[in-house]
């Protein structure tokens, strides 16, 4: 049915594991290019995207306004392959968490946090993370691999479907997406950019650029490439106001120290067409490590001329973690100093605590290539075992 020349043209779209094209992971441009190889117009690409992302189609045969002949061709060469849900948990506060098995058998997690009219989906970008921040459960488990674009956008797809928000006229529940799940998004640059573009696209999820946020621990060389390909919001994981302490908490700081990171953020913001946007600074407060009043003052001085909002995240403990959460009064003390210095500094209240869905508690299940920590991985695997039996 398909000529050799067409087959050759399709090669760049084919997943080497399955031998098929996963339509779910094709960005607008790639979907158009894919259909161009088949001799089809742009309209066809848009039609297929709307079926999957707006109406939640799970199979090519669902696409009833596409001719039977074209569906047969598509079935031959392509598929809609969504990530497999291992478990779905709902917290008392409405937070939902999915454990998802991705190709190769590892698991990642996705969390949905409802808050009034807002619904924020926290999406993973990698299986594990290679950056080894000392307070992060994902980092402690080592790194396995990057997620594909289909595996990243598949998290949005399944969360949206779970609320039936894809049905026409249904209220959109996912209003915001934060790339703050497992992994360092800038180390999976191309797939993350493609997936964020799909979140933004009218044929994808139509989320505005301000409401898609990429969070990075500071991979500056990749951050410098970002404004050329996207204009999403930016968050940085700072956690310390001086290099000596940040070197210990966020090891990539040894390569790209604080001043270099802040400059890269300034440049990213300057490159955006709308000039009044600010960087979100994430600061995880860890008892006795970075939560003193002096450290709050030091942070205020560091960020004096840096346009930002500071999100304070009380440390979330996980099995075998070396740190503890500060007392409420220590957190408020820290916040007050920042507010008095003129900053917007909300405390990110812990959500989904009872299902271990809070920041830094995402364990996934990582078949670690780096063999970093058998202990941490064993603890995470045990947790997954308990979750999946729940
Ligand atoms: N790799 C990216 C995005 C994932 S981490 C980054 O580091 O920015 C998302 C946020 O959760 C980061 O700000 C991270 O520092 C924070 N975090 C990680 N472990 C945590 C923990 N145990 N308690 C509280 N926050 C944590
Ligand atoms: Fe990786 Fe972010 Fe965790 Fe650091 S905080 S180990 S960069 S996921």
């Amino acid at each position: 049915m398909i000529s050799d020349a067409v087959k050759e043209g399709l090669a760049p779209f084919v997943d080497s594991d399955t031998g098929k094209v996963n339509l779910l992971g094709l960005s607008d441009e790639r979907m158009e290019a894919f259909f161009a190889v088949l001799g089809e117009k742009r309209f066809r690409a848009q039609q297929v995207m709307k079926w999957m992302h707006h109406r939640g189609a799970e199979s090519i045969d669902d696409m009833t306004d596409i001719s039977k002949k074209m569906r047969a061709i598509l079935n031959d060469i392509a598929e809609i392959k969504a990530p497999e849900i291992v478990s779905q948990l709902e917290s008392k506060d409405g937070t939902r968490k999915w454990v998802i098995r991705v190709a190769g058998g590892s698991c990642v997690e996705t969390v949905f946090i409802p808050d009034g009219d807002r619904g924020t989906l926290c999406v993973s970008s990698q299986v594990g993370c290679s950056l080894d921040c000392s307070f992060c459960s994902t980092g402690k488990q080592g790194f396995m691999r990057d997620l594909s674009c289909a595996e990243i956008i598949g998290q949005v797809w399944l969360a949206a479907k779970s609320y039936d928000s894809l049905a026409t006229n249904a209220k959109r529940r996912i209003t915001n997406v934060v790339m703050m799940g497992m992994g360092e998004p800038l180390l999976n640059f191309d797939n993350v950019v493609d997936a964020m573009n799909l979140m933004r696209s009218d044929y994808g999820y139509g989320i505005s650029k301000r409401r898609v946020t990429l969070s990075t621990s500071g991979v500056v060389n990749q951050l410098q490439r970002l404004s050329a390909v996207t204009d999403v919001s930016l968050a940085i994981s700072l956690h310390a106001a001086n290099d000596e302490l940040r070197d210990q908490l966020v090891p990539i700081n040894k390569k790209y120290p604080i001043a270099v990171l802040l400059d890269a953020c300034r440049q990213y913001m300057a490159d955006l067409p709308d000039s009044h946007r600010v960087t979100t600074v994430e600061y995880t407060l860890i008892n006795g490590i970075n939560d003193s009043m002096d450290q709050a003052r030091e942070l205020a001085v560091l960020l004096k001329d840096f346009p930002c909002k500071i999100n304070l995240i009380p440390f979330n403990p996980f099995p075998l973690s070396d740190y503890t959460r500060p007392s409420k009064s220590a957190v408020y003390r820290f916040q007050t100093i920042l507010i008095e210095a003129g900053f917007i500094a909300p405390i990110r209240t812990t959500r989904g605590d009872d299902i271990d869905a809070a920041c830094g508690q995402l364990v996934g299940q990582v078949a670690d290539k780096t063999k970093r920590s058998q202990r941490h991985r064993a603890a995470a695997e045990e947790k997954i075992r308990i979750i999946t039996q729940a």
Side-chain angles (χ1 to χ4, degrees), residues 77-119:
I77 56 174
E79 61 185 348
I80 301 173
K81 193 161 181 280
E84 176 197 344
I85 302 177
V86 177
S87 80
Q88 175 175 322
L89 302 169
E90 182 144 8
S91 158
K92 293 196 287 278
D93 65 17
T95 301
R96 280 191 182 187
K97 177 170 94 164
W98 294 266
V99 179
I100 294 162
R101 184 168 291 120
V102 292
S106 293
C107 292
V108 295
E109 298 180 17
T110 307
V111 176
F112 178 78
I113 307 148
D115 186 9
D117 284 347
R118 226 170 123 113

Side-chain angles (χ1 to χ4, degrees), residues 131-137 139-140 217 237-254 258 282-291 295 315 322-324:
L131 294 183
D132 200 18
C133 301
S134 61
F135 53 87
C136 172
S137 169
K140 286 286 145 214
S217 59
S237 293
L238 193 63
H239 313 310
N242 63 66
D243 286 322
E244 198 189 344
L245 179 58
R246 193 163 191 268
D247 280 352
Q248 290 168 36
L249 299 176
V250 186
I252 191 146
N253 194 65
K254 292 178 201 147
I258 294 173
E282 294 161 278
Y283 194 100
T284 296
L285 284 159
I286 309 171
N287 186 22
I289 303 287
N290 65 357
D291 63 339
Q295 284 161 321
F315 173 72
D322 301 325
Y323 302 124
T324 53

Side-chain angles (χ1 to χ4, degrees), residues 122-123 125-126 129 131 133 135-138 179-185 214-218 235-239 250 282-286 313-318 321 348 358-361:
C122 180
V123 168
S125 58
Q126 296 183 309
C129 182
L131 294 183
C133 301
F135 53 87
C136 172
S137 169
T138 304
M179 298 300 306
M180 292 185 190
M182 299 173 72
E184 168 50 52
L214 180 141
S215 171
T216 179
S217 59
I236 54 166
S237 293
L238 193 63
H239 313 310
V250 186
E282 294 161 278
Y283 194 100
T284 296
L285 284 159
I286 309 171
I313 317 167
F315 173 72
N316 290 307
F318 54 90
S321 60
R348 207 190 280 165
C359 294
Q361 287 184 322

